[in-house]
Every structure is written in structure tokens, then in C-alpha cells.
Amino acid sequence: MPDSAKKGKALHDPASFQIFPLGDAAIVIKFGDTIDRELHRSVRALENYFVDHSLHGMIERVPAYATVTIYYDPAQRSYHDLEQELRKILAELADVPELDSRIVEIPVSYGGEFGPDLEFVAQHNSLKTDEVVQIHSAPDYLVYMIGFAPGFPYLGGMSQRIAAPRRDSPRLKIPVGSVGIAGTQTGVYPIETPGGWQLIGRTPIKLFRPREIPPTLLKAGDIVRFRPISSEEFTSLRACSQ
Amino acid sequence: MSIRVIRPGLLTTIQDLGRYGLQQFGVIVSGAMDPLALRISNLLVGNEQNEAVLEVTLSGPGLLFEHEALIAITGADLSAVIDSHAVPLWRPIWVRQGSLLEFGSPVRGCRAYLSVAGGFDVPLVMHSRSTYLRAGLGGFDGRSLQAGDVLNLRSASPFVSQQIKRMSESGSEYPLIAPGWFGGSDLAEYADDPTIRVISGGQYDWFNEESREAFVSEPFRITKQSDRMGYRLAGPTMRFIQPRDLISEAVTVGTVQVPPEGQPIILMADRPTTGGYAKIAQVATVDIPVLAQLKPGARIRFRTVSVEEAQELYRSRESMIRRLRCGIAQMNT
């Protein structure tokens, strides 16, 4: 068997990524400038590599849409040294043939008191509210990254047909579990925060679990499916998750 | 062993060096704004460097010592007194049972770090004792201190306990005794109009030449819209060569990001894990303590250094802290 076949197809030519510092204690590997599932496979491939490899001096990593940022201790190794090692790793990095994703179902009670902006989103797109629910709960959403709040997923895959602008004035308190839309993005609020998203429903499932490791329901790379539930089911599910 | 909060002060929270390892889940780091002052405060009372301390902001609390304790205060000079006696900073202080520690007007700096031998007895939440205000977790009940709170202390190491006992038996009428070891105040290089060293940011070349020039030649003022999450600056407007969108990626302490309106923001301890604004620069780690001690209204300038230079400064700072730690350990044996 030729060497290349043993190692798997190399994912990158050296021109397809950039490496640069984020200050003196972090290094960024950047694969592109767009939100794109194909491009994001490089992020997942590098994250896969770290499942069973580590780097001397590495403290933690933050994968995002098109970047992986590695925090490290500059007392243990220099930027230059780490950059050289990463270039070697990336040159040999094997492609991930399929996004090997965990599927997480998130039950959502749409509309009513849980989704005060469902009506607005429907009107804005000349749809009926149950059509918005049907369109929102149809796709498999990819969790590109977690950020903004603990366990808040940046999801890709929402239909343009239910896109809606942010509210003119943000709400001061968005209840935990609220499912919102902002532009062509959708997401779930894991903790109570202020926010300007249009709220279309709420989940009784906890996304942030500070007493568990990992402390969040979702992680980057997961697939999310929203399942519509009744307000009665919401109440009984919430009772179970308390 | 406990301390009772008589007055809470402006913003008094329990912090350690922060919550690491969970940023990929969106869990922010938090921790001391001035990590150097926290580390030295702990070393002075015989604690591990990462032990939880009280971060006291500008207008400090009133604290009643229900038991004797060995404490140290580092960072800002906020006119600390114990039963009306001025408390020396950057050295360990034995405090008699029943003493009242109070703070007056800020003389220099913004944030003081009060350590106690043994540390505060609050639970580890996600590997850290730092207060995560937004999520209401960690520290004391996930919030800043309030009047009436009782802070329990853990036992000091056998050696320090013995020292405390000796001071306690000395029969002094004085409410505080300062043992002979001190140090660390010179490490921080605090300054009122500092020049902050930065490394170029990932989107530095998105800014036009005039803005890049102004960034390092003109001063910026720290505005009132500044807190533990970040400092909003006022100064020359940073203009983009052309409007561009950045998709979200990691940000960190000291990231200098520029929203479309052009006034920079420096992210601090309670920053989010990711952000989508262009990053013009990144503050060298050794200059974070200097920033942490600046009040709104302060003026700063930026000076660019290479990543190699910043890492050299980092390593030399770490070796100075190591020497201080060894010096204190030798005095204690």
C-alpha cells in the first residue's frame, strides 16, 4: 500500500490555511473567511486530531466557523516553535470523510407565551404560524461553534423563508430556553440574558449544565433537530429535567 | 473561621486566576482583572498562587474579622485601615479577632486584592472559584458581596497557622502586626498614563494607514463604559479600508477590537469567548495588570512589539515571580 493511502488523503495544501498569533499566549489556524460546511470540515478534522493527540504547553482550544484558536503557555514554548509543529500536523492531517456528528433532539413549544414573536416572523414572511414551525423544525442544523453564552450554539442550516430582522429594542431579559431568530440565524438561549432576537418558542431542556462535564448539552460538530411539542409536554418535560 | 461583610463596597467579588478549559463550551474565563496582584497577594500569606481572594473595586467593603487571620492586600491603594490604623500594602498582616477592615478613598489604582491564609471556603464550580456574574455561578453564591454575608475561611497551612499563633500570643495591643517579608509591588510596573505594549491583531491590515498610524501615535481615553468585561476607548477613529465582515472566532483578554463606528474596545476578564469585530491589536500579557488598575478617564498610548518580544517579557516576569516565591519560602523555613 502506498504511504499516502495509509495516512489518508491530506486535506490541505499549504496555501489553504493561515497561522497567526492572537497575542503572546494564543495561536490561530484559519481555513477561510466564510460560513460553509465544506470549509468547516477542516476545523473538524483538526479537532478530531486533538481527540487523541496533545501539544506541549497547550491549555485549551476554541474551534469556530473557520478557525481553531489554541491557548498555550508561553513560558513552556515559543510562538515560532508551536507554529512549526502545527504546520507539520496540518500537512498530514487526514480529511474527515463525513462529519461524524451526534444528533441531539431539542423539543420546542412554539408560539403562545413561549414564542411571543412567532406571529411577527410569520407575517414578515407572509406565512402562517404553523408553516414557520414546520420550516423551522424540518432541517438538520449543524452546530458550527459554541459562543456568546455558555452552551449557546451557532447553528447553520436555517431556511431563508423564515428569516427575520432583530427587534428594534432588545428585551432586557430573555427567559432560559428561548428559541430565537435573528436574520438567517437561529439559536437557543442557555442562560437569562438581554437580547434582540425574535422569540418563536422555548425548550424545557437545559443547554447549560454547570455541574456536569462537559457543562453544556451541545458541542461544536453536533447536529440539532427541533421537535415541536405541546405546552403540556413542555410542562412535563421541564418537571423531569429539574 | 469567618469574616462578616458589614458593607459590600462598589463591586467586591471572589476571584481566582479564572476558569480555564471550557471556553469551547462558551464558558467565560472570568478571574482577577489584575492576575499579578492576585498571585502575589496569595504568595505573601503562604497560599498557592491560584487561591481565591477578594477583588475590591474602587470603593471597598467593611469587613469584620470574627476570627484572627493572616491577610495581604496588593494591587490598588484604596486607603485600607484596620481599626483606624493604616494597612501597609504588599505584605502579610496579622489581624486580631474582632478587628474591622475598612477602605477609604482610592489613592492609586482601581482594584485591590485581599488574600487570607488558607483561602475562602467557597466551592469549586467548573474547576474554579471565580465569580461568573452573568450566569450567577461560582464565587460567593454567584454574585458580588452583600451586607450580612459571612465568608468562611479554610485552614491555613501548619506553618502559617503556627506563625499566626505566635503573633496572637505576642500580647501586642496593636490590632495588626506585619511580619518581616514583603515584596512584589515593583513587579507590576503600574503607571497613570501608561504606554501599553501590543502585538498586531489578526485584522490589523483591514485598517487604513492613517488609522494604523494614529493607533500608535495618539492617546486614547478609557471611558465610563468600562467594566470587568471590557474598556471602551475614546480617541482617533479607526477606519477600515473597506467595510468587511468577520465571522465569529475566539477573542481573549487584551484583545483590542473595533466595532464599525471605529472606537476600540479592550476586552478584559469577563469577556465573551468569541466575537465578530475586527481585531486591530492584542495587549501583551505583562501589561494586563497595568490596564486593570486604570480608572475611567485615564489616558493610554499603544506601542507595537513583536510576539517574540512579548513572550520574552512574559518569561522574564514569570522568573521574577518565581524568585519572589522562593524568597518567601526560604524565609519560612
Side-chain angles (χ1 to χ4, degrees):
Chain A
M1 197 192 289
D3 262 9
S4 60
K6 261 188 275 177
K7 283 178 188 155
K9 185 172 78 73
L11 186 55
H12 307 279
D13 66 88
S16 72
F17 60 87
Q18 290 173 278
I19 300 184
F20 52 88
L22 175 65
D24 54 28
I27 188 167
V28 184
I29 302 103
K30 181 169 194 158
F31 298 103
D33 293 305
T34 52
I35 300 174
D36 176 278
R37 284 196 189 206
E38 270 306 301
L39 185 143
H40 186 71
R41 279 168 62 173
S42 300
V43 172
R44 293 261 62 83
L46 185 54
E47 281 294 294
N48 269 6
Y49 172 84
F50 287 120
V51 169
D52 46 21
H53 296 79
S54 192
L55 295 173
H56 176 64
M58 178 164 74
I59 296 165
E60 63 181 310
R61 296 181 314 282
V62 176
Y65 284 117
T67 55
V68 175
T69 300
I70 298 173
Y71 292 94
Y72 65 100
D73 177 5
Q76 290 186 53
R77 67 188 308 182
S78 72
Y79 172 78
H80 179 75
D81 182 38
L82 186 55
E83 185 197 341
Q84 294 310 308
E85 185 177 354
L86 283 166
R87 286 196 185 281
K88 277 192 203 128
I89 291 167
L90 286 159
E92 309 233 323
L93 194 63
D95 196 357
V96 280
E98 285 295 316
L99 287 174
D100 182 19
S101 293
R102 198 171 57 124
I103 295 170
V104 181
E105 190 184 78
I106 297 183
V108 179
S109 180
Y110 287 94
E113 59 163 320
F114 297 148
D117 303 325
L118 180 63
E119 197 73 47
F120 171 84
V121 173
Q123 276 170 20
H124 183 80
N125 290 289
S126 312
L127 295 167
K128 298 194 181 95
T129 55
D130 55 354
E131 289 173 316
V132 174
V133 173
Q134 193 273 322
I135 294 167
H136 188 261
S137 57
D140 282 353
Y141 294 94
L142 172 64
V143 180
Y144 277 108
M145 57 185 277
I146 305 282
F148 168 67
F152 181 90
Y154 285 78
L155 297 172
M158 195 184 84
S159 167
Q160 300 272 359
R161 293 166 60 207
I162 54 171
R166 283 178 166 77
R167 288 169 56 87
D168 290 337
S169 60
R171 289 186 172 90
L172 291 178
K173 278 184 177 179
I174 296 204
V176 174
S178 293
V179 177
I181 288 176
T184 57
Q185 280 184 283
T186 185
V188 188
Y189 283 82
I191 58 174
E192 191 179 273
T193 66
W197 291 35
Q198 306 287 351
L199 306 184
I200 61 168
R202 201 183 298 171
T203 178
I205 301 293
K206 285 191 164 59
L207 273 79
F208 179 40
R209 303 158 175 202
R211 273 154 201 89
E212 296 173 20
I213 297 290
T216 58
L217 172 68
L218 299 172
K219 60 181 191 337
D222 286 345
I223 293 287
V224 165
R225 286 180 188 156
F226 293 111
R227 177 170 67 89
I229 57 170
S230 64
S231 57
E232 290 76 29
E233 198 177 344
F234 180 96
T235 309
S236 67
L237 279 172
R238 185 163 61 179
C240 297
S241 70
Q242 292 296 316
Chain B
M1 299 238 295
S2 57
I3 295 174
R4 182 176 293 273
V5 179
I6 306 299
R7 283 187 311 281
L10 183 65
L11 176 68
T12 308
T13 57
I14 288 189
Q15 301 291 346
D16 56 20
L17 283 175
R19 193 164 273 118
Y20 285 92
L22 300 171
Q23 290 193 81
Q24 62 175 300
F25 302 109
V27 175
I28 69 172
V29 173
S30 317
M33 288 281 278
D34 180 346
L36 180 67
L38 175 140
R39 293 168 73 184
I40 293 173
S41 193
N42 276 320
L43 287 176
L44 291 169
V45 297
N47 288 347
E48 293 294 325
Q49 294 182 51
N50 187 30
E51 190 52 69
V53 310
L54 285 185
E55 181 179 274
V56 173
T57 316
L58 281 172
S59 167
L63 302 171
L64 179 67
F65 284 77
E66 297 184 325
H67 301 85
E68 64 183 348
L70 187 70
I71 68 165
I73 302 175
T74 61
D77 182 353
L78 305 180
S79 309
V81 293
I82 291 174
D83 297 340
S84 334
H85 296 275
V87 180
L89 305 181
W90 304 94
R91 60 194 299 175
I93 305 288
W94 172 79
V95 185
R96 180 189 295 285
Q97 179 176 15
S99 302
L100 180 64
L101 169 64
E102 293 173 290
F103 292 84
S105 49
V107 175
R108 191 159 189 215
C110 192
R111 295 175 171 90
Y113 292 84
L114 167 67
S115 63
V116 292
F120 292 95
D121 189 17
V122 296
L124 282 166
V125 177
M126 297 180 285
H127 322 312
S128 166
R129 294 189 167 84
S130 285
T131 312
Y132 187 170
L133 289 167
R134 180 52 76 74
L137 288 167
F140 188 90
D141 236 7
R143 58 169 171 80
S144 59
L145 297 188
Q146 293 171 3
D149 287 345
V150 175
L151 307 170
N152 291 318
L153 310 181
R154 299 207 307 278
S155 306
S157 67
F159 173 77
V160 174
S161 299
Q162 207 182 354
Q163 292 275 318
I164 294 174
K165 190 156 172 271
R166 218 167 59 199
M167 287 181 264
S168 159
E169 285 165 355
S170 70
S172 167
E173 290 301 308
Y174 208 55
L176 59 93
I177 302 174
W181 67 88
F182 57 92
S185 61
D186 50 333
L187 287 190
E189 303 177 285
Y190 298 138
D192 295 326
D193 294 303
T195 295
I196 301 295
R197 288 164 288 198
V198 296
I199 299 139
S200 292
Q203 291 75 45
Y204 176 75
D205 56 9
W206 288 18
F207 295 89
N208 68 26
E209 204 178 321
E210 191 192 345
S211 299
R212 284 186 269 177
E213 171 63 28
F215 184 72
V216 290
S217 61
E218 291 182 41
F220 289 85
R221 195 168 43 76
I222 294 173
T223 69
K224 287 198 173 105
Q225 286 87 50
S226 296
D227 57 18
R228 281 184 45 89
M229 189 192 278
Y231 292 177
R232 279 183 183 271
L233 304 182
T237 301
M238 299 293 107
R239 295 185 200 285
F240 298 88
I241 293 169
Q242 58 185 61
R244 281 175 78 168
D245 286 328
L246 179 72
I247 57 176
S248 287
E249 59 184 39
V251 292
T252 187
V253 62
T255 297
V256 187
Q257 60 179 21
V258 182
E261 39 86 5
Q263 295 292 318
I265 298 169
I266 310 179
L267 296 177
M268 298 296 285
D270 281 350
R271 68 210 176 260
T273 55
T274 60
Y277 291 138
K279 295 177 276 296
I280 191 168
Q282 175 68 44
V283 176
T285 302
V286 290
D287 282 345
I288 294 295
V290 178
L291 277 178
Q293 294 299 349
L294 296 178
K295 294 191 269 275
R299 277 152 61 104
I300 60 172
R301 287 174 186 275
F302 294 110
R303 180 165 74 83
T304 310
V305 296
S306 66
V307 64
E308 290 78 15
E309 198 176 334
Q311 295 196 324
E312 201 42 58
L313 290 165
Y314 181 102
R315 284 188 278 270
S316 114
R317 169 73 55 81
E318 288 305 305
S319 70
M320 286 191 276
I321 295 172
R322 211 159 40 238
R323 278 202 295 278
L324 178 69
R325 194 185 67 204
C326 293
I328 290 170
Q330 272 164 18
M331 228 168 313
N332 287 347
T333 48

